[in-house]
Amino acid sequence: MIWSVEHPERAQRERAELEALVSRADWLVPGEWRMDTSLRQIWDADIRIGDRTYVISLRYPNHFPHSPPLVLPRDETARWSSHQWGAGGELCLEFGADNWHPDITGAAMIESAHRLLLVENPPSGENGMVASRHATTLGQDLRSERMRFVLTRSAASFMKTLAAGKMCEASVVGTYRERSAVYVLDWAMDLAGEKWTDASVPRTVVDEGYALQAMILCWPGDQPLPRVTTRADLYDAALAIGFSVPDVRYVLIVKGEVFRGYAVWDDNTAQRLSMVLPQREVGRLDPEHAALAARSVAIVGCGSLGSKVAAMLARAGVGKFLLVDDDVMLPDNVVRNDLDWREVGYHKVDAVARRIELVNPDAARDVRKYRLGGQHSSDSVETLIEALGTFDLIVDVSADARVFNYLCAAVSVGRKAMVWARVFGGGFGGLIARHRHGIEPDPATMRAQIEQWSVDQGLPPERAGQDYETRGDDGPMIADDADVTAIAAHAARLAIDTLIPRVPSMFPTSVYMIGLSQRWVFQQPFDTRPIDVGVAAATFPSTPDLELARLETERIQALLKKLINETAAATSGPETTP
């Protein structure tokens, strides 16, 4: 809809305001009204300042007066002001989308354009500067920049420590995507042979990128930075102050708080790199999260749910991971897994380990291509359970009852905490639960209580299949990525609360049924049902510590033996390979 037809009174007002401006402004010469191919109304005019004429167009958007009209040159190559969106682009005036009000008129926009041009290009005297009413973002500044150099916070700090006049050999890592190149400093070595490596850059990025030779020049404070348009400009300026720069492709210059980068080419050209500098440092996590760097988590199951929980805990700052799964990432898994096509064909544990490194390079990662309850030697089962028991938290996202039973043994061995989560078939909800030694009952008892709670609601307990999928009367009921992510987020929050640990906990109870749609016990989406499982029972309160330890060891050994025998019996048969 054309705005002047929809708002005829406003159209009359616009014309009247422009006519009034022409009558009182000797610097404004009116032109003609016209309409462009997009049916936008345009008023052409000339602004005269001294002996110079600026040929302008006032262009109204079709949704005027709800957004501002533009003042721009009729010459598509004209560049008049530092407050202009490129050659031929609109002028950035006192009124824009951020402070616009429908009562402002096109005449006010033209008056603003005149004030801008008059200050920046006065008929006599020095050109003035007009303060910007807003700052551009880093993303806006880099939109057209194809050669970018990311200076990490640690690299910037290192370069500032270098003494003026110093030159260092360095290696930068380049990655290329969509005709753009991004570089990052990997290591630097001074002439004395002392090496610095940027530990904040994931090794996966280094291994998958291109290693390129560079030099770092610490420019003396009393020397001006060079004006560089060619390779010779850079090398001659460096030689003039004592730098004999070898033949390298990239040169980084640091002078106090100023960083510059250049790519020099064989045809004697030099290209200035767009430096992406560290932004103002702000806390991204609350202080409580600092404790997570010293915590360890074992995640059993690296499928859709486990991969998301692992990435969330890595971002939260968890310092050590053990990943257990024997599955391989397939193309069909991309629909829900936190991994993507780049990891198809790899074991999920290896791929999730890489994912963790890319979001938290400081985190230690160990993997086991292993299926608890699968065909493995009894000794290897016992070894893995003992290893799991050394971690601060075990997370079961396998959706496998046999795995849960083994993890009950690991929890008992290590007296550590456990969190488990399930997504219900069809994605209508899920379960998250937590066991803490000495606070909640043991996990097996808790599971029995959860199932009894379901029966008490008059409905059978909902259990997830291994692929979070069941089959109903209308065909398959499959959880989508949003369903799985919702339950993963709740499970990760419960895990973080347990690991810190917060006292008191943010979670009044340790088991929650979480509804995502109206089904089963859930009356509406986001209906949450806490389940009270009570507290841990006192175990042998009058038994001396040594005797208690002996009894507990015997109980654990018996439980492990029972589980191993049950697994062996379940997997044995005429075609079973021992």
Side-chain angles (χ1 to χ4, degrees):
M1 186 67 177
I2 300 175
W3 71 271
S4 57
V5 175
E6 188 174 1
H7 305 286
E9 300 85 0
R10 182 57 188 265
Q12 291 177 2
R13 179 188 169 196
E14 285 296 311
R15 289 177 178 267
E17 292 283 348
L18 289 170
E19 290 172 2
L21 178 60
V22 169
S23 66
R24 68 176 183 271
D26 57 3
W27 47 264
L28 183 62
V29 180
E32 301 293 330
W33 285 92
R34 59 187 174 90
M35 192 170 289
D36 67 8
T37 55
S38 298
L39 301 181
R40 294 175 296 199
Q41 287 189 301
I42 297 173
W43 185 64
D44 293 330
D46 297 343
I47 293 177
R48 292 177 178 173
I49 298 176
D51 59 357
R52 187 171 180 182
T53 299
Y54 300 89
V55 291
I56 67 162
S57 292
L58 176 67
R59 190 175 75 192
Y60 289 88
N62 284 334
H63 35 77
F64 183 82
H66 303 295
S67 59
L70 312 180
V71 178
L72 63 166
R74 295 204 295 276
D75 178 359
E76 295 182 355
T77 64
R79 181 66 185 263
W80 297 334
S81 169
S82 61
H83 297 273
Q84 184 177 355
W85 294 99
E90 65 179 279
L91 298 176
C92 185
L93 304 173
E94 296 162 89
F95 310 108
D98 58 330
N99 63 353
W100 177 254
H101 190 278
D103 288 343
I104 302 172
T105 65
M109 300 293 289
I110 290 181
E111 288 184 290
S112 179
H114 175 256
R115 287 192 291 271
L116 171 66
L117 296 172
L118 180 63
V119 172
E120 289 196 324
N121 306 283
S124 61
E126 294 185 1
N127 293 356
M129 294 186 64
V130 176
S132 176
R133 66 177 174 82
H134 61 258
T136 58
T137 65
L138 175 65
Q140 288 174 307
D141 294 338
L142 292 176
R143 280 181 298 187
S144 60
E145 302 298 329
R146 299 295 185 186
M147 299 276 285
R148 308 173 185 184
F149 194 100
V150 177
L151 200 63
T152 65
R153 201 173 302 281
S154 56
S157 298
F158 160 72
M159 291 174 69
K160 289 177 184 178
T161 66
L162 298 176
K166 192 169 189 176
M167 181 170 68
C168 293
E169 177 188 359
S171 175
V172 300
V173 177
T175 54
Y176 302 90
R177 189 179 307 149
E178 297 177 357
R179 302 183 303 281
S180 295
V182 174
Y183 305 94
V184 63
L185 184 64
D186 181 20
W187 58 262
M189 182 178 295
D190 63 22
L191 299 181
E194 186 174 346
K195 187 174 182 179
W196 171 88
T197 300
D198 193 343
S200 69
V201 180
R203 292 297 93 187
T204 294
V205 172
V206 175
D207 294 341
E208 295 180 355
Y210 297 88
L212 304 163
Q213 191 177 8
M215 296 299 295
I216 300 175
L217 308 181
C218 302
W219 214 258
D222 59 349
Q223 296 293 326
L225 290 170
R227 296 175 62 87
V228 176
T229 57
T230 67
R231 177 192 181 110
D233 292 338
L234 177 60
Y235 278 67
D236 290 347
L239 187 61
I241 59 173
F243 290 123
S244 180
V245 182
D247 186 17
V248 295
R249 182 70 71 194
Y250 299 92
V251 176
L252 303 175
I253 295 176
V254 55
K255 180 182 178 182
E257 298 289 329
V258 178
F259 301 94
R260 288 187 183 176
Y262 296 94
V264 291
W265 310 109
D266 295 335
D267 61 358
N268 195 36
T269 60
Q271 184 172 358
R272 178 90 169 259
L273 303 177
S274 296
M275 302 298 291
V276 184
L277 302 177
Q279 302 299 293
R280 182 172 63 90
E281 190 169 8
V282 295
R284 302 284 180 170
L285 295 170
D286 67 69
E288 288 183 323
H289 279 65
L292 297 178
R295 303 290 189 262
S296 59
V297 176
I299 298 180
V300 182
C302 290
S304 302
L305 193 56
S307 62
K308 296 177 191 297
V309 171
M312 291 176 188
L313 294 182
R315 287 192 174 94
V318 171
K320 183 179 179 181
F321 289 88
L322 172 63
L323 307 171
V324 181
D325 199 323
D326 72 331
D327 205 4
V328 173
M329 182 72 179
L330 300 176
D332 290 345
N333 298 141
V334 174
V335 71
R336 282 191 303 261
N337 203 290
D338 198 61
L339 305 172
D340 56 44
W341 247 100
R342 290 170 294 184
E343 304 295 351
V344 166
Y346 293 96
H347 272 82
K348 290 178 180 177
V349 286
D350 293 328
V352 172
R354 284 192 290 270
R355 183 82 171 126
I356 290 172
E357 184 205 6
L358 288 171
V359 298
N360 183 0
D362 293 332
R365 305 162 307 281
D366 189 13
V367 301
R368 303 289 178 90
K369 299 180 181 70
Y370 198 99
R371 180 182 294 272
L372 276 171
Q375 291 183 331
H376 301 284
S377 69
S378 299
D379 183 62
S380 66
V381 174
E382 190 168 0
T383 300
L384 177 57
I385 288 177
E386 290 175 354
L388 289 168
T390 65
F391 281 74
D392 296 318
L393 176 67
I394 298 172
V395 178
D396 176 20
V397 277
S398 66
D400 188 315
R402 290 174 300 175
V403 171
F404 184 88
N405 290 335
Y406 276 112
L407 296 182
C408 289
V411 167
S412 183
V413 167
R415 300 187 178 187
K416 297 296 177 63
M418 177 175 170
V419 165
W420 64 98
R422 303 288 183 267
V423 178
F424 299 145
F428 66 88
L431 158 74
I432 62 171
R434 165 179 64 185
H435 159 78
R436 294 167 294 179
H437 181 75
I439 300 177
E440 286 88 12
D442 66 88
T445 300
M446 290 177 63
R447 180 175 62 178
Q449 290 179 299
I450 293 167
E451 294 189 351
Q452 184 59 50
W453 178 90
S454 300
V455 172
D456 291 344
Q457 311 309 307
L459 295 169
E462 287 281 355
R463 296 175 180 168
Q466 192 165 348
D467 295 321
Y468 313 120
E469 180 177 323
T470 59
R471 179 170 296 275
D473 297 336
D474 299 323
M477 299 183 296
I478 303 173
D480 66 18
D481 186 64
D483 301 326
V484 177
T485 301
I487 302 304
H490 289 331
R493 293 186 71 245
L494 186 60
I496 291 168
D497 182 84
T498 305
L499 284 165
I500 285 177
R502 293 190 177 105
V503 180
S505 170
M506 290 175 55
F507 297 85
T509 59
S510 286
V511 181
Y512 294 88
M513 293 287 188
I514 301 165
L516 300 179
S517 63
Q518 185 177 359
R519 185 178 164 193
W520 194 41
V521 296
F522 307 121
Q523 300 301 311
Q524 58 183 341
F526 311 115
D527 183 4
T528 300
R529 303 299 181 92
I531 302 176
D532 184 4
V533 294
V535 297
T539 306
F540 309 117
S542 59
T543 306
D545 289 344
L546 190 60
E547 178 65 10
L548 173 60
R550 184 185 68 77
L551 294 172
E552 181 71 0
T553 300
E554 291 178 354
R555 188 180 72 83
I556 293 168
Q557 289 175 340
L559 177 60
L560 281 173
K561 184 176 181 180
K562 179 175 180 291
L563 287 170
I564 291 168
N565 290 338
E566 288 176 351
T567 300
T571 57
S572 63
E575 298 181 3
T576 298
T577 301

